[in-house]
Amino acid sequence: KLIATSSATVADVLARGADAGFWISSVDRISIHRSTSIGTGASGFGIVVPRSSAFTVADSYAQGDTGLHIDRSTDSVVDRSRLHSPASTGRALHLQWLNVSFTARASTMTGGSASSAVQIGAANDGLLTFSSVTISQAVTGFSVDALAAGARFLAGPLSFSGLSSGATALHFIAGTH
């Protein structure tokens, strides 16, 4: 766990834990590179990032019931990484709520066969960008709840692979998008 620290870089690490492989809370400027993070518990997270800023995961792998869970954080980036949930109801990425600015590029997100690969919760703000992202093995590619006024959701190019039968690529849940 990294809590209330500033400017840290983690590289070439295998992290495993019942709750989360990496738990990063109230951290400013953290980078994870060339690492594997696995949540081993039934509801474990690959990586959990609450209340942090300038979080980057690059060239890495995160696996758990939710691969990467971000909540109330600013300027988060996923670059050339794989987020994976082996659970049928699991998500690759969950932007819970009140996040400001998120970028995913050149990454693969694999969700559960009965869930969304990417879930974007209510009141996320700023620019939410998904570029050159592959979504696989989910019943819904993206599930997007009502964003904050003025927020922008930009997605493309995207690839969808091995989605469940009858899958929905992009589902806007409620509100104005």
Side-chain angles (χ1 to χ4, degrees):
K1 288 185 178 182
L2 293 172
I3 299 174
T5 190
S6 181
S7 249
T9 299
V10 175
D12 304 309
V13 171
L14 169 60
R16 300 175 80 100
D19 294 331
F22 286 113
W23 192 292
I24 300 163
S25 182
S26 303
V27 175
D28 182 34
R29 294 181 314 276
I30 176 92
S31 296
I32 298 173
H33 297 278
R34 299 176 315 274
S35 294
T36 297
S37 181
I38 300 173
T40 58
S43 297
F45 299 95
I47 303 172
V48 176
V49 186
R51 297 183 208 99
S52 295
S53 64
F55 164 75
T56 298
V57 59
D59 302 307
S60 295
Y61 176 80
Q63 175 184 306
D65 188 60
T66 296
L68 172 60
H69 178 91
I70 302 175
D71 180 33
R72 294 167 284 170
S73 294
T74 303
D75 298 323
S76 301
V77 175
V78 174
D79 194 17
R80 300 174 318 272
S81 294
R82 183 165 176 226
L83 308 179
H84 176 74
S85 176
S88 64
T89 57
R91 299 168 295 233
L93 171 66
H94 185 200
L95 296 178
Q96 187 168 4
W97 67 304
L98 298 177
N99 293 292
V100 177
S101 298
F102 173 84
T103 300
R105 58 184 167 252
S107 296
T108 300
M109 301 185 184
T110 305
S113 60
S115 186
S116 299
V118 176
Q119 182 174 359
I120 301 174
N124 283 290
D125 203 353
L127 183 59
L128 309 174
T129 305
F130 293 81
S131 176
S132 299
V133 171
T134 299
I135 303 294
S136 63
Q137 298 177 354
V139 73
T140 303
F142 287 86
S143 179
V144 183
D145 209 333
L147 302 176
R152 295 187 318 163
F153 174 75
L154 300 174
L158 300 173
S159 298
F160 295 91
S161 166
L163 296 181
S164 300
S165 177
T168 299
L170 183 57
H171 178 119
F172 289 104
I173 298 172
T176 304
H177 301 280

